[in-house]
Structures are given as structure tokens and as C-alpha cells.
Amino acid sequence: VGPIAEEWVFRACMCPLLFAAGLPDGANVAVASVIFGAAHLHHRFDARERWAAVLVQFTYTSLFGAYSAYLFLRTGLVYGPIAAHVFCNYMGLPSFYDMVEHRRRHVVTGAYIIGIVGFVLSVAVDTSFRPAIFASIFWPEQAGCGVDAI
């Protein structure tokens, strides 16, 4: 229920309002992600978490909020952000301590690095070239690039 409710509020409701207010897609992603991260600051007061732990949670929820807002704006649909949210909640944060202690830590560390770099590059290419794939009203796409060019 959590991922559906959060994605509905923070993506399906907030991102179109920011879009209607005239924010460009990059600013929309930034504002929505910081608000999403701030919505998780209550753990400092509810669970009496230490500020360091809350700062870590704010950072990763803001980063996830940015990706989720990007997914919503890119596709114009809330299904992708919900699926990503469910997946991330299920998997949790990677255990970097286990990575360092792993008997094949160089292979595991390399896999982490390759995965992160590949993810960042794929999003960067999509945001730079903006291929016409989803026809979202929130995301200006390039004509002659993407599925319609085939």
C-alpha cells in the first residue's frame, strides 16, 4: 500500500502540478525529489533515529524520488514508479559492508560500479537525446529519434 500511496501523491499528483506551474522537467524532478526526501524526515521524531541515519535516509529517498519523478514525467504513467518503488522496498539498500567482506569483493565491487555507471549513463543518454518512445505530455521528445524513426 505504501508505494502505491506515495507514488500517487508524490508523482501522479505533485509532478503534474509542478508541470502546470511552469517548472521545466529538470526542476520538476529536483523539487519533487527533495519534497519526497523531506517527507521521510519524520523518522527522526517518530522512531528517535539519529540525525546521521536520517540524513542517509533523506539522501537515498531523495535520489529515489528523482528517479521516480523522472520515470513518471518520461512515461506519463504512474505504473513504472510504483513498480520501481515496490522493487526498491523489497530489495532495500545494498549492504556495502557485506560487499567489502565478500570473499570475491573485487568482482562484487566491479559489478556494483558497472551497474551504477550503466544506470547513470542510460538515464543521461535518455535525458540528453529524448527519443520519442512514450509520448508523455510532461516530457518533450525529439522527433526522428526513437521508436517512430524505425
Side-chain angles (χ1 to χ4, degrees):
V1 173
I4 295 170
E6 287 184 353
E7 294 308 319
W8 185 258
V9 169
F10 291 101
R11 257 51 80 189
C13 294
M14 184 180 300
C15 286
L17 288 174
L18 295 171
F19 176 80
L23 266 69
D25 47 21
N28 192 323
V29 167
V31 169
S33 67
V34 170
I35 293 171
F36 183 69
H40 291 82
L41 292 176
H42 68 89
H43 293 284
R44 169 66 178 135
F45 309 104
D46 294 347
R48 305 239 187 255
E49 300 255 355
R50 294 179 34 200
W51 276 112
V54 172
L55 181 61
V56 168
Q57 185 174 24
F58 173 78
T59 302
Y60 75 76
T61 54
S62 293
L63 287 171
F64 174 78
Y67 177 64
S68 194
Y70 157 76
L71 279 178
F72 176 78
L73 294 172
R74 181 69 173 98
T75 64
L77 302 170
V78 75
Y79 306 118
I82 289 173
H85 200 142
V86 168
F87 177 78
C88 286
N89 281 5
Y90 177 74
M91 295 302 293
L93 280 178
S95 176
F96 294 106
Y97 177 78
D98 289 343
M99 177 180 71
V100 173
E101 295 296 317
H102 197 278
R103 66 181 183 86
R104 300 193 65 190
R105 69 180 162 270
H106 299 297
V107 173
V108 174
T109 302
Y112 270 84
I113 292 169
I114 290 169
I116 291 169
V117 169
F119 173 78
V120 169
L121 287 176
S122 66
V123 171
V125 166
D126 185 61
T127 57
S128 296
F129 295 106
R130 298 175 177 262
I133 299 173
F134 300 104
S136 170
I137 63 169
F138 307 113
W139 192 265
E141 296 176 331
Q142 296 288 334
C145 181
V147 176
D148 63 344
I150 298 175

